[in-house]
Amino acid sequence: GINAEYGEIEDLTLSPLETILPLGHITDIVEDFVVIRGSNPDRILDVDSMVFNEERKCAGYVFEVLGPVSEPFYSMHFNTHSDIGTYGLRPGQALWYADNPRYHRMLKVKK
């Protein structure tokens, strides 16, 4: 899960028993990057956390955390722009993360 080789996306689909929580929505796709507006400033994912689509399939990893803590954005980086299409990612799409810490790390934020 965490710390996958750069550019390699694990072929993983979460079981229906795993709880998934909303990460946010894709706001932009720029070159090889997907930008996600975070939906929960109280739970900010750290770099290398796995990101899932609505089918519970791994769609990539958090590459960067951007913006203010009160309104986090995330980026996902792909080797090529066409890889983004391979994973079916599009603006407006909701993305998710697994509640299980095996698949994510939380950013520790001082408020």
Side-chain angles (χ1 to χ4, degrees), residues 15-91:
S15 127
L17 301 176
E18 291 278 359
T19 301
I20 59 172
L21 300 169
L23 175 62
H25 288 82
I26 297 175
T27 57
D28 291 291
I29 295 175
V30 182
E31 296 179 6
D32 306 341
F33 290 90
V34 171
V35 180
I36 304 155
R37 179 186 207 130
S39 60
N40 186 351
D42 294 324
R43 297 195 69 178
I44 300 175
L45 293 191
D46 203 352
V47 170
D48 291 335
S49 294
M50 295 177 97
V51 178
F52 296 88
N53 65 17
E54 56 275 4
E55 282 93 40
R56 307 172 78 83
K57 186 164 175 55
C58 181
Y61 301 88
V62 173
F63 179 71
E64 267 184 310
V65 182
L66 312 158
V69 174
S70 60
E71 195 178 1
F73 281 78
Y74 303 94
S75 73
M76 293 165 55
H77 186 251
F78 292 82
N79 290 327
T80 67
H81 183 76
S82 64
D83 286 349
I84 295 170
T86 301
Y87 289 94
L89 300 174
R90 63 202 179 280

